[in-house]
Amino acid sequence: MPGIDKLPIEETLEDSPQTRSLLGVFEEDAAAISSYINQLYQAMRRICDAQNELSVATHLTSKLLKEYETQRFPLGGDDEVMSSTLQQFAKVIDELSSCHAVLSTQLADAMMFPITQFKERDLKEILTLKEVFQIASNDHDTAINRYSRLSKRRENEKVKYEVTEDVYTSKKKQHQTMMHYFCALNTLQYKKKIALLEPLLGYMQAQINFFKMGSENLTEQLEEFLTNIGTSVQNVRREMDCEVETMQQTIEDLEAASDPLYLPDPDTTKFPVHRNLTRKAGYLNARNKTGLVSSTWDRQFYFTQGGNLMSQARGDVAGGLVMDIDNCSVMAVDCEDRRYCFQITSFDGKKSSILQAESKKDYEEWICTINNISKQIYLSENPEEIAARVNQSALEAVTPSPSFQQRHESMRPIIHSRPLTARTNSSGSLGSESAALSALSLDSLVAPDTPIQFDIISPVSEDQPGQAKTSGQLGRRTNPFGESGGKKSETEDSILHQLFIVRFLGSMEVKSDESPDVVYETMRQILAARAIHNIFRMTESHLLVSCDCLKLIDPQTQVTRLRFPLPNVVLYTTHQENKRLFGFVLRSSGGRVESHTTSVCYIFESNNEGEKICDSVGLAKQIAFHAELDRRASEKQKEMDRVKEKQQKELSKQKQIEKDLEEQSRLIAASSRPCQSSGEGQFVVLSSSQSEDSDLGEDGKKKRESEA
């Protein structure tokens, strides 16, 4: 006979939608079997009733035939031939009545008893187990939802213990009930064949015995066929007994091995986190916003399929697409005081989803799996092996710094790079940068033993490269659009104000600021460090691009976190493949060595394309450059105007001197005419005095004029 379809008892603990869907098929099959068996039972019941009625009717016929001779008919009475004939018929029919009575008894025992037992015992057992399993499943869902609503901030050990114990008990009850339910459904596949074949076999054997009693010439072929059917029924019964024994042993083994997994948050030391996965499936709570401040959480089964994240509700035949997670970003978030929440943002930043895992193990595995898929590692032949190699290479290239971990224990924020020998052998988490860096030594781009800064440190607490501490600048709220009243901000006169939403990934000091490869290598090391050390938190800020500086502004308080003077931004570019990643290099004076310029590369992730931000920065630098040219031209024109004005003043002064000389000459000429009549001596005196005036010079003339 063909193979028997079975439900996988080993997958009852996972309770995936695929298993539930397969269970639904078996339940539909059981319902169909029940409906069919009921109809068959009614038909066989009619056969049995008909056979009983036939037996009674035959016996009544024989009795009536025997009473024929006692009847008095008006015509044709005392017909001995007819009476003897009827008596013979009565005798034969009486024997047939006895055979029919035996047949009725055999039909009740061999045909009606097996199908009645299957209908009243086995099918009712399936219905009872189904109801018990549904109750256990609902209790487990209720316990899981209650556990998911536990507060992370205000933990009550008593409540947590009660909820955890409730989850343990309900999950164990569901698992055990589900395994016995699966076993009963699997057994039903055998019993339905027996329930169909045994009644028919009993019916045919009863008929054969009936015909044997009436005739000795039954065909041997029918007997051989019925014998074969009887043998098959016995083989199925033996196979069913062996399978039931095997399933019972499997249930015992799974109950012993699955006991620790009934807890909602198993111990990660006993069940380690797998960080090299490229496929993941399990139940998650999805956040759905229902209003401005209200939201609901729906528990669904999520799984990855290639580069897509899929979800599937119970009862659905197939899953639906949630989002494309190629080149996506994933990070841990705090949401509504729930634990183990993380956010997935699509590559274009237009779609995001907040999900909650049931345990810390699932929480870290989901983040690592989505991070691996976003790098498109799943497209290779051995994705898990490549993911392990990439993570191992990044681990060799980046090691944690204990000193910074003490300052930020939850973030592990500082990573030190190893020397060049360890870094050049790593393939990197971005993959495509290796060809671009083949002609340029990595050691000439990034300084060895350079710490990576993963958090934004306000200039109030620490000095930032290229930022001057002014009393009016630090810690002051800033309107990103320059519309604040009172004192004018330094960017209020700027003609360019563009605002972008960005997330700070990290920064580190670099040795060169002349090639975009510096930014690419910095991106590779920062992303590799984040992936290896599970640093998923990113600080979201508003990046304000103006004609004189770049500002990182807190979106909640509007306080300026960092300020980057635009002339010091010497290099800016986006990632070659993931256009949402961009970075820039800031050159500033001072650093490890006094009177020495240092260059720091800052890496960000934006919701939109990073090229737009780079274009905005380029436009700001062009505007600033043209403004500087205009300022220099204006200063040059002012200088020329000052020189011209000075020349005009000198010329006016010279003209005034000439005019004064002419006036003095006229006065001298007028005074000399009366003196000519008084004699030659006076003329000589006047002439000598005129000569003396000419010798005195300009100062003397002015003095004489004042005396006169």
Side-chain angles (χ1 to χ4, degrees), residues 457-474:
I457 298 180
S458 174
V460 176
S461 58
E462 293 191 16
D463 292 339
Q464 293 294 333
Q467 298 185 22
K469 288 189 176 182
T470 61
S471 60
Q473 176 182 343
L474 301 181

Side-chain angles (χ1 to χ4, degrees), residues 67-80 83:
E67 294 176 354
Y68 179 79
E69 60 184 5
T70 60
Q71 297 295 325
R72 295 291 181 257
F73 297 102
L75 297 174
D78 297 332
D79 190 353
E80 297 292 333
S83 295

Side-chain angles (χ1 to χ4, degrees), residues 547-690:
C547 295
D548 55 352
C549 66
L550 306 180
K551 283 187 178 182
L552 283 181
I553 302 173
D554 190 299
Q556 301 295 330
T557 62
Q558 297 300 317
V559 172
T560 301
R561 291 173 172 170
L562 290 178
R563 180 182 181 277
F564 308 101
L566 193 61
N568 293 355
V569 179
V570 296
L571 180 64
Y572 49 91
T573 185
T574 61
H575 191 268
Q576 292 173 322
E577 296 178 357
N578 189 356
K579 299 302 182 181
R580 292 187 297 110
L581 296 179
F582 76 97
F584 60 84
V585 178
L586 187 74
R587 182 190 298 170
S588 61
S589 60
R592 297 179 179 178
V593 182
E594 294 296 334
S595 69
H596 176 69
T597 59
T598 60
S599 299
V600 180
C601 185
Y602 294 85
I603 305 301
F604 296 88
E605 181 188 39
S606 65
N607 292 339
N608 302 321
E609 293 186 1
E611 293 180 350
K612 295 181 180 179
I613 301 179
C614 291
D615 293 341
S616 179
V617 175
L619 178 61
K621 291 184 75 69
Q622 289 181 5
I623 294 175
F625 176 73
H626 289 296
E628 180 66 18
L629 291 180
D630 294 341
R631 186 186 64 80
R632 292 182 180 180
S634 177
E635 290 181 356
K636 186 176 180 181
Q637 184 64 33
K638 289 180 180 179
E639 183 67 23
M640 292 176 64
D641 292 342
R642 284 196 297 269
V643 172
K644 187 176 180 180
E645 184 179 357
K646 186 177 181 181
Q647 291 177 354
Q648 290 290 341
K649 288 182 178 180
E650 291 292 337
L651 183 59
S652 300
K653 188 176 181 180
Q654 186 67 26
K655 289 182 177 181
Q656 184 65 31
I657 292 173
E658 292 178 356
K659 184 177 180 180
D660 292 342
L661 290 176
E662 290 178 358
E663 184 68 25
Q664 187 177 4
S665 298
R666 285 196 299 269
L667 290 174
I668 293 172
S671 62
S672 63
R673 290 190 188 98
C675 294
Q676 289 179 0
S677 60
S678 61
E680 184 178 356
Q682 291 183 355
F683 179 79
V684 172
V685 173
L686 291 174
S687 298
S688 62
S689 63
Q690 182 181 359

